[in-house]
Amino acid sequence: MRRDKDGNPLIERYNANERSNHWITAICFVLLAVSGLAMFHPATAWMAVFLGGGQWTRILHPFIGVVMAVSFGLLVARFWHHNRFEPGDREWLKGATDVMTLHEEKVPPVGRYNAGQKVLFFVLIACMVALVLSGIVIWREYFSLYFPIGLVRFAALLHAFCAFVIIVSIVIHVYAGFWVKGSVGAMVRGTVTYGWARKHHRRWFEEMARRQRD
């Protein structure tokens, strides 16, 4: 059994492969966000400096997108079965205000992920699929010449819209990670305390505690 520096028992929430997969996806997201914004509007063109200037930004953006799509696909494969909706999720969503006011005892106990995290999971999947498909259509160097101009223009609009949605979603994800103290540490160190698990993911905690006893 793992323990923290004070001797308190810990539960593994993410193993090394899951954490590496997550951080590769996160780094790619940041690079894609700044490079995409650099190409989106003159007011944010200065962000091209992060990838070596405008020309390198245009070259590298789609390739980084491919890396992120593959990495995200692995995340989906790893966590898909934990994000399937369950009967208690509807009640959790109805009581989301109780969660935000630190009264989680008023909502049904959840498994590894709560209903809000599951909604975010599927929003990200939908946006990622749309970004990949529209990105292929507007990738001028290799693919856009095979599509009619009307479709290319629509794909560019869809790409921008989904990029906006995914950026907002990730901002919410990051904010929630810092707001729920201990969540960021779980993705850095891989472990959480018994108290954290019991408070935020009681059913998952009970399942893991049974496994440790066995």
Side-chain angles (χ1 to χ4, degrees):
M1 180 182 295
R2 298 186 182 184
R3 295 183 181 274
D4 63 14
K5 58 183 178 61
D6 298 319
N8 299 312
L10 299 171
I11 297 177
E12 183 180 71
R13 184 154 175 83
Y14 300 106
N15 62 39
N17 289 333
E18 291 168 343
R19 298 198 306 275
S20 299
N21 195 173
H22 171 273
W23 289 115
I24 290 171
T25 306
I27 291 170
C28 288
F29 166 76
V30 172
L31 293 176
L32 288 169
V34 296
S35 58
L37 289 171
M39 294 184 289
F40 182 73
H41 194 275
T44 51
W46 61 272
M47 292 185 178
V49 69
F50 292 107
L51 287 179
Q55 189 65 21
W56 276 110
T57 295
R58 288 189 292 273
I59 293 172
L60 293 176
H61 181 86
F63 287 104
I64 297 173
V66 171
V67 175
M68 180 176 173
V70 172
S71 182
F72 182 77
L74 292 174
L75 277 180
V76 171
R78 291 179 188 276
F79 299 122
W80 177 269
H81 61 290
H82 295 297
N83 285 276
R84 289 177 295 188
F85 285 98
E86 300 170 315
D89 290 333
R90 185 185 299 272
E91 286 71 22
W92 191 97
L93 289 172
K94 291 179 180 178
T97 53
D98 292 320
V99 177
M100 291 186 285
T101 55
L102 305 179
H103 293 291
E104 292 185 57
E105 70 280 358
K106 295 183 179 181
V107 298
V110 298
R112 184 165 184 175
Y113 297 109
N114 61 48
Q117 292 170 310
K118 293 176 182 179
V119 170
L120 177 64
F121 180 79
F122 287 103
V123 168
L124 293 178
I125 290 176
C127 287
M128 188 63 65
V129 170
L131 285 170
V132 170
L133 295 178
S134 59
I136 291 173
V137 174
I138 63 176
W139 196 344
R140 293 185 179 277
E141 186 67 22
Y142 299 104
F143 303 111
S144 65
L145 69 160
Y146 297 110
F147 298 99
I149 187 62
L151 180 59
V152 173
R153 290 171 177 169
F154 173 77
L157 180 61
L158 178 64
H159 201 79
F161 173 77
C162 290
F164 172 77
V165 173
I166 206 170
I167 288 173
V168 172
S169 298
I170 294 299
V171 169
I172 294 172
H173 174 62
V174 172
Y175 176 79
F178 282 101
W179 182 68
V180 180
K181 187 177 179 180
S183 298
V184 175
M187 190 53 74
V188 174
R189 298 184 300 271
T191 57
V192 294
T193 64
Y194 272 36
W196 186 95
R198 186 185 299 111
K199 178 179 181 180
H200 300 297
H201 300 272
R202 188 180 306 169
R203 286 199 294 107
W204 175 74
F205 162 73
E206 292 171 352
E207 177 185 346
M208 296 302 293
R210 284 195 299 270
R211 289 184 183 179
Q212 289 190 350
R213 286 195 301 269
D214 297 338

